[in-house]
Amino acid sequence: MTDRKRLTSSAGAPVGDNQNSLSVGPRGPLLLEDIHLIEKNAQFNRERIPERVVHAKGAGAYGYLEITADVTKYTKAALFSEIGKRTEAFLRFSTVAGEKGSTDSARDPRGFAIKLYTEDGNYDIVGNNTPIFFIRDGLKFPDFIRTQKRDPQTNLKNPTAMWDFWSLSPESLHQVTILFSDRGTPRSFRHMNGYSSHAFSWINMEGERFWVKYHFKTKQGIQNFTREEALEVGGKDPDHATRDLYEAIGRGDFPRWRACVQIMPMEDADDYHVNPFDLTKVWPHGDYPLIEFGELVLDRNPDNYFQDVEQAAFEPSNIVPGIGFSPDKMLQARLFAYPDTHRYRLGANYATLPVNSPHATESQNYHRDGAMRFDGNGGPSVNYEPNSFGGPVEDAKFKHEAYNFEIDGIAERYDHREGNDDFTQAGNLFRLMTEDQQERLIDNLADSMKTVAREIQLRQIRHFSRADAHYGEGVARALGINLAEIAETEDVDAAPTGVSG
Ligand code: NDP
């Protein structure tokens, strides 16, 4: 034996032969008592955990957020407390709809999830590379995602399902416009922006609250693939963005983002011209300019992909003192959905895994037991509260943190479409594109819609036209549709609701 470590079983017993199984004679059948063969294969059979139902394919890295400007008049959160302060971060980037082995260059939003290991606990900003989303009510999330996944019969991606849903859900138009623009196929995870998309709140020392949206602007510059380039790269190297991130960090070319925030005084929300908590809308920069407060840097690749990236569990519910939620309906649904999916995918003790546990403080609570508890499980300490034996206790100082704003109204299922303008902001985006960009957008849309039934095409083109007449005309022309045909057809916008009779 050399100075290399001895191979052992899971229980630590030495392994004498890792090349040959135990058989009856050289050509004979194997013996059930070959415990090494059985342990090795049984372990292998259990290597896979369920992939994420969305955002399955991803890459991640460690780094930090450094504060470069004083925002303490808006938030008392410890991570923002002084200029120059650094908080350790872990980021995971991903595509949304594809499986764990799918191509990085797919036309899809990209996840942009940040975990900040603050001294007051972990703060997760679980955003995307788009400032908005396709829907504004979490009740529609499973429906929407099914249209992006595989058809129940053919197991193929199904453009009809996508366009059927989108054309019946006009609130998706703004995000559809981003998705089919150049930014739908980013060149890498480093060459795109990140957005919290949702509004959150910041709370200062005086208890004043402000609505905020985060923007992380790439310092590498925005770079995108054309549709043709994305197809080619996806064919040659489906993992190109994963590789790009790993290699850039490996050679010391650390990706950086300007960390910015839009801040809306609380009272503005009441009569702002759009619902500021509607995830399909941006806050125009002209109304709420970006305020830069820091730099986000990635400077360390994980040593083990499964341990740190596959087991990473981000949840918008992870906030810290000085940060609060907002009434955004999608955010509210995600507060439930994320921890729930982690409990299913990783198990009840997912928060104790090294990448998910706090790094700058300790979690102190009465959670005990459950599958795979390996962190000491509280040892002999008391496991109920109140108790007389020194267990952790609540701190009333934090009682009103996340929730102390006035809410009233009748509990009701309010129509989220009523009175909503789904077209102006999509049109604004179309109008800020150069002619070349508009042409590529229209060409990408026509390519995706070309196999879809005429009725669905017409319904969707009417949405494009409402955003901007040139937008609708362009897509119609690219699909070989006469504009008169659109005008003649019945105009049905909303999803069919309910049964009659
Ligand atoms: P501004 O002119 O101040 O901002 C336009 C923004 O659009 C910039 O942030 C720019 O990003 C971004 N942009 C440019 N091309 C694309 C694209 N193909 N896909 C997505 N974003 C793009 O205008 P407003 O704030 O008034 O917004 C006008 C429209 O711009 C909105 O309706 C929205 O669609 C889009 N937008 C707005 C954002 C916001 O938070 N206000 C954020 C992102 C987009 P960059 O600076 O990196 O070039």
Side-chain angles (χ1 to χ4, degrees):
M1 179 139 171
T2 67
D3 58 357
R4 286 170 61 175
K5 281 190 184 155
R6 175 188 281 161
L7 181 71
T8 74
S9 68
S10 302
V15 171
D17 187 345
N18 192 34
Q19 319 305 322
N20 305 293
S21 48
L22 186 62
S23 59
V24 183
R27 296 187 180 189
L30 304 184
L31 292 176
L32 188 58
E33 73 171 60
D34 187 349
I35 49 167
H36 182 53
L37 171 78
I38 288 170
E39 178 182 291
K40 199 168 162 181
N41 278 279
Q43 184 72 30
F44 178 71
N45 290 343
R46 288 160 179 76
E47 280 182 4
R48 294 290 171 270
I49 59 173
E51 67 173 35
R52 292 165 170 87
V53 64
V54 282
H55 296 272
K57 174 76 185 294
Y62 288 97
Y64 59 86
L65 173 71
E66 181 169 328
I67 301 306
T68 56
D70 184 4
V71 286
T72 53
K73 68 177 171 178
Y74 301 111
T75 175
K76 63 181 176 190
L79 77 154
F80 299 111
S81 60
E82 53 187 308
I83 292 174
K85 179 158 184 163
R86 282 188 181 187
T87 298
E88 187 193 0
F90 179 75
L91 267 74
R92 182 174 181 271
F93 307 103
S94 51
T95 48
V96 180
E99 295 83 7
K100 198 173 171 309
S102 58
T103 174
D104 286 343
S105 67
R107 182 169 304 283
D108 209 358
R110 302 291 185 272
F112 195 108
I114 307 170
K115 190 179 285 293
L116 297 164
Y117 300 95
T118 91
E119 61 263 56
D120 283 332
N122 292 349
Y123 176 29
D124 294 357
I125 303 170
V126 196
N128 281 327
N129 71 329
T130 61
I132 50 164
F133 199 60
F134 299 93
I135 51 174
R136 59 167 80 92
D137 189 327
L139 191 58
K140 299 314 297 171
F141 190 74
D143 298 298
F144 164 61
I145 289 299
R146 291 209 180 103
T147 71
Q148 304 296 301
K149 293 275 185 180
R150 292 178 183 276
D151 178 88
Q153 180 174 25
T154 62
N155 200 35
L156 298 169
K157 291 288 175 83
N158 184 351
T160 294
M162 294 181 202
W163 288 107
D164 190 30
F165 183 87
W166 283 333
S167 65
L168 289 168
S169 312
E171 67 272 19
S172 62
L173 183 67
H174 195 185
Q175 177 81 325
V176 164
T177 304
I178 293 184
L179 180 63
F180 285 86
S181 79
D182 294 341
R183 293 195 187 190
T185 47
R187 181 168 287 272
S188 81
F189 296 135
R190 296 182 298 129
H191 295 96
M192 61 186 203
N193 295 338
Y195 304 88
S196 65
S197 313
H198 301 295
F200 287 89
S201 38
W202 274 4
I203 306 145
N204 69 14
M205 281 298 194
E206 282 69 49
E208 289 173 292
R209 185 183 294 267
F210 304 85
W211 302 119
V212 300
K213 283 193 181 211
Y214 294 101
H215 299 245
F216 299 92
K217 299 278 230 172
T218 173
K219 289 194 170 181
Q220 290 66 241
I222 297 269
Q223 287 185 30
N224 303 303
F225 288 135
T226 62
R227 184 170 85 247
E228 294 73 20
E229 286 171 335
L231 286 171
E232 193 185 335
V233 169
K236 282 187 181 152
D237 182 5
D239 306 317
H240 76 95
T242 305
R243 190 184 317 282
D244 173 84
L245 183 69
Y246 186 83
E247 289 181 354
I249 294 173
R251 66 175 178 265
D253 180 8
F254 301 142
R256 291 163 195 274
W257 287 263
R258 284 194 306 120
C260 306
V261 66
Q262 287 180 292
I263 301 180
M264 178 187 286
M266 241 198 137
E267 55 280 9
D268 285 17
D270 298 336
D271 53 6
Y272 190 52
H273 63 95
V274 295
N275 172 1
F277 312 117
D278 174 348
L279 189 57
T280 67
K281 305 280 196 316
V282 296
W283 300 350
H285 294 128
D287 295 346
Y288 299 100
L290 295 187
I291 298 170
E292 186 166 340
F293 65 84
E295 186 184 44
L296 188 61
V297 181
L298 294 179
D299 62 358
R300 182 161 65 90
N301 281 315
D303 287 336
N304 186 282
Y305 180 87
F306 183 88
Q307 176 180 275
D308 288 352
V309 187
E310 191 59 12
Q311 294 196 126
F314 298 87
E315 44 196 298
S317 39
N318 277 350
I319 55 169
V320 292
I323 310 289
F325 304 123
S326 81
D328 177 335
K329 289 186 165 121
M330 281 293 292
L331 171 63
Q332 298 272 318
R334 292 177 82 207
L335 296 179
F336 155 73
Y338 280 67
D340 186 57
T341 196
H342 303 325
R343 288 183 188 107
Y344 162 69
R345 192 174 70 87
L346 299 166
N349 288 310
Y350 72 94
T352 64
L353 293 167
V355 66
N356 300 328
S357 61
H359 291 187
T361 181
E362 284 183 355
S363 58
Q364 306 277 1
N365 53 51
Y366 297 93
H367 303 336
R368 296 289 188 274
D369 306 353
M372 295 290 172
R373 191 83 201 213
F374 57 89
D375 64 343
N377 195 29
S381 67
V382 58
N383 61 359
Y384 60 87
E385 200 280 336
N387 64 69
S388 318
F389 303 103
V393 288
E394 68 208 21
D395 183 343
K397 195 165 75 188
F398 300 105
K399 184 168 175 177
H400 299 295
E401 270 300 323
Y403 313 103
N404 70 335
F405 54 93
E406 204 176 303
I407 310 172
D408 63 13
I410 309 278
E412 180 57 276
R413 293 185 184 277
Y414 292 96
D415 181 352
H416 68 78
R417 295 210 174 102
E418 205 171 287
N420 245 308
D421 169 5
D422 293 320
F423 307 105
T424 302
Q425 290 202 350
N428 291 346
L429 178 58
F430 180 79
R431 288 181 284 275
L432 70 77
M433 292 181 193
T434 62
E435 251 176 60
D436 283 359
Q437 289 171 335
Q438 291 179 349
E439 265 173 38
R440 286 195 296 273
L441 165 71
I442 287 167
D443 188 54
N444 291 336
L445 284 163
D447 184 66
S448 173
M449 293 171 73
K450 64 184 182 234
T451 58
V452 169
R454 181 56 58 106
E455 175 201 347
I456 296 175
Q457 290 176 340
L458 295 176
R459 192 161 57 207
Q460 184 65 35
I461 290 169
R462 281 194 289 267
H463 296 324
F464 294 136
S465 297
R466 279 186 198 105
D468 191 290
H470 296 301
Y471 193 3
E473 277 162 30
V475 179
R477 199 176 315 113
L479 285 170
I481 293 175
N482 187 332
L483 285 175
E485 194 181 337
I486 301 173
E488 279 163 18
T489 49
E490 196 194 347
D491 193 349
V492 184
D493 293 332
T497 49
V499 292
S500 54

